[in-house]
Structures are given as structure tokens and as C-alpha cells.
């Protein structure tokens, strides 16, 4: 077994940003659904209001994912 040096014992370990992962899933679903928020909520199996809260929380611009005609 390798010993941990004293100076490394108190060094903070990296952590995962769950929010970044959640935002990435929402963005991916928005891309797949062409920016249609209702379809995105259904594809993620979450309530539409919940999705809008998360969109606002992560400052996602839905218009960036809407297909232009």
C-alpha cells in the first residue's frame, strides 16, 4: 500500500458538478426536440414547469435550439 504524503492529506479532492451534467442533458434533449420545450419535457419524463425552472436555473437560451424556417 502506498503511503499518502502529509501535504496531500488536506488537499481538496476534485468533485463533480452535477448541475453541469443536468444542464448538458437538457441541452441535448432540446437539440433533439428542435427547441420544443413541451416535447423536451416529455422526452425527459419531467413536468413542464420543472423543465422551465431548470432552463432558467442554468440560463439556457431555448431559442438557440429552435429550428429556423
Amino acid at each position: 500500500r502506498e503511503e499518502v504524503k502529509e501535504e496531500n492529506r488536506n488537499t481538496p479532492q476534485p468533485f463533480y458538478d452535477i448541475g453541469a451534467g443536468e444542464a448538458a442533458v437538457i441541452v441535448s434533449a432540446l437539440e433533439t426536440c428542435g427547441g420544443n420545450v413541451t416535447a423536451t419535457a416529455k422526452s425527459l419524463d419531467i413536468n413542464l414547469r420543472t423543465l422551465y425552472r431548470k432552463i432558467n436555473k442554468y440560463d439556457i437560451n431555448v431559442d438557440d435550439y429552435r429550428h429556423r424556417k
Side-chain angles (χ1 to χ4, degrees), residues 16-66:
Y16 295 97
D17 183 357
I18 294 172
E22 186 175 50
V25 169
I26 293 168
V27 165
S28 178
L30 280 167
E31 288 172 338
T32 300
C33 295
N36 182 322
V37 181
T38 302
T40 300
K42 287 180 182 179
S43 75
L44 295 172
D45 195 28
I46 62 173
N47 185 282
L48 184 59
R49 287 185 65 192
T50 300
L51 179 58
Y52 272 113
R53 281 190 208 108
K54 290 177 184 292
I55 286 170
N56 287 327
K57 177 181 179 179
Y58 299 121
D59 199 26
I60 298 169
N61 185 353
V62 175
D63 289 334
D64 291 343
Y65 307 99
R66 293 205 167 116

